[in-house]
Amino acid sequence: MLEMKRLRLLWELHARGTVAAVAEALNYSPSAVSQQLAILEREAGVRLLRRTGRTLELTPAGEVLVTETEELLAGLERAEAALHRVREEVIGSIRVAAFQTAMLSILPGALRRLRERYPGLRVEVVQYEPGAALQETWIRSFDLVVAEQYPGHAAEHFRGLDREPLTSDPIRLAVPPKGAGDPRFDTAERIEDLAELPWVMEPQGAATRHWAEQACRSAGFEPDVRYETADLQAHIGFIESGNAVALLPGLVHVGAAPRMRFIELPDRPHRTVFTAVRASQGRHPALAAVREALAVEAAALPFE
């Protein structure tokens, strides 16, 4: 009989790519992962992995076993969800991945609502970059992800993840308050007027950075990105102090009175915010409760 924990390690290797990545994610040593995979091969009686250069690849037999393991994992989750549906109360533990502005604007109220209505439900929240969080939810590091998608930049789709829209917030040009910095900030009325002024953006590789750069290039200039940080609260600090301009989504300002001026962009673009869970867990009462609480909070946001 094949051991489920070892099958999971093989599936993790398929999903993450390297023994080191599997070991880090599951808090094993790389040697322990390799040892368990070797035992699984002996149990299977056939080669499951082959080495190509410095990497391990699945053999055809390994690919078959990974496909079947994925079905087994999904089946276990469906069985667990079914058991929870016959309980009288919503209990359990749910791990949520969310990006920064969702954690600041939507999560606090949703968590309060869940705490009051479902005292037996434990919700853990981790701030995570949206693209990576989608993958980690597919891999089963999280149960639910709150992710984002910018106009014309679709977030990667992972087979078996069920998405539901949560809200959309406007993206606007944020410039320093009048008198706080370079006088050219004060007279700017269009994105083109900021071609020669400093910008703050997220680091290279982020979908938001790519979208912002494309917006500037479409306006006919390459932005002078003088400051880089993934922390949008830091963006606000740079703008309010008169040091930079940025493209900011509306969730950044929820519950605050920012000291900056906003300029509408052509076509008034919006960012889409959505939740995603594995389809095999979609009918889990605890996940349904978390999604409902998030939706109630999102519906109350002051956006058009």
Side-chain angles (χ1 to χ4, degrees):
M1 180 69 69
L2 299 177
E3 218 281 329
M4 190 63 202
K5 289 183 179 179
R6 296 188 187 110
L7 289 172
R8 174 69 184 271
L9 287 176
L10 185 69
W11 189 89
E12 289 277 350
L13 179 62
H14 161 70
R16 298 184 184 277
T18 66
V19 168
V22 174
E24 181 178 1
L26 301 182
N27 293 318
Y28 289 171
S29 67
S31 60
V33 173
S34 297
Q35 183 183 40
Q36 290 300 307
L37 290 172
I39 294 173
L40 178 62
E41 270 196 329
R42 290 199 297 272
E43 291 176 341
V46 63
R47 286 191 65 192
L48 303 175
L49 299 165
R50 59 175 170 240
R51 186 166 294 279
T52 303
R54 300 182 64 181
T55 62
L56 284 175
E57 293 182 352
L58 294 172
T59 65
E63 291 174 356
V64 167
L65 204 51
V66 160
T67 300
E68 294 299 327
T69 300
E70 185 168 347
E71 289 299 316
L72 288 171
L73 291 171
L76 287 172
E77 288 184 330
R78 286 191 293 268
E80 182 181 0
L83 283 176
H84 277 270
R85 288 198 299 274
V86 300
R87 293 179 180 271
E88 294 183 356
E89 59 179 339
V90 175
I91 62 172
S93 181
I94 298 296
R95 280 179 55 80
V96 176
F99 58 94
Q100 184 191 36
T101 50
M103 290 192 74
L104 292 171
S105 58
I106 301 175
L107 265 299
L111 291 171
R112 182 187 65 249
R113 189 180 303 275
L114 290 166
R115 185 184 70 247
E116 294 171 351
R117 187 171 180 184
Y118 306 110
L121 177 61
R122 174 186 173 89
V123 181
E124 301 174 2
V125 183
V126 179
Q127 183 176 321
Y128 228 87
E129 190 278 321
L134 283 165
Q135 181 179 24
E136 289 297 317
T137 303
W138 172 67
I139 294 175
R140 293 177 169 80
S141 296
F142 297 102
D143 300 302
L144 181 147
V145 57
V146 182
E148 63 180 357
Q149 183 169 286
Y150 275 71
H153 291 71
E156 185 177 359
H157 281 267
F158 291 89
R159 183 168 56 87
L161 282 191
D162 168 50
R163 297 187 182 194
E164 284 186 3
L166 192 58
T167 187
S168 65
D169 57 341
I171 305 169
R172 294 179 295 175
L173 190 60
V175 299
K178 293 199 173 183
D182 192 307
R184 290 175 294 176
F185 283 131
D186 299 347
T187 58
E189 296 297 336
R190 305 175 305 157
I191 189 171
E192 293 89 339
D193 299 333
L194 299 158
E196 297 180 0
L197 290 165
W199 288 69
V200 56
M201 290 187 182
E202 294 198 37
Q204 288 286 355
T208 51
R209 170 65 174 266
H210 186 254
W211 187 87
E213 288 178 332
Q214 289 301 310
C216 293
R217 290 165 185 165
S218 296
F221 67 94
E222 191 69 24
D224 175 10
V225 183
R226 207 168 297 182
Y227 314 107
E228 290 189 8
T229 173
D231 185 346
L232 294 190
Q233 295 302 303
H235 287 217
I236 291 175
F238 280 110
I239 298 163
E240 290 183 337
S241 58
N243 288 296
V245 62
L247 290 164
L248 293 180
L251 281 183
V252 174
H253 319 300
V254 171
R259 295 179 296 104
M260 62 183 75
R261 186 166 64 93
F262 296 104
I263 299 173
E264 295 289 350
L265 295 168
D267 301 325
R268 295 177 178 266
H270 280 65
R271 173 184 65 170
T272 300
V273 180
F274 62 93
T275 62
V277 302
R278 291 182 297 283
S280 55
Q281 281 194 305
R283 297 182 63 200
H284 196 298
L287 276 173
V290 173
R291 271 185 154 175
E292 180 185 17
L294 290 170
V296 170
E297 287 299 313
L301 293 171
F303 302 138
E304 297 179 0

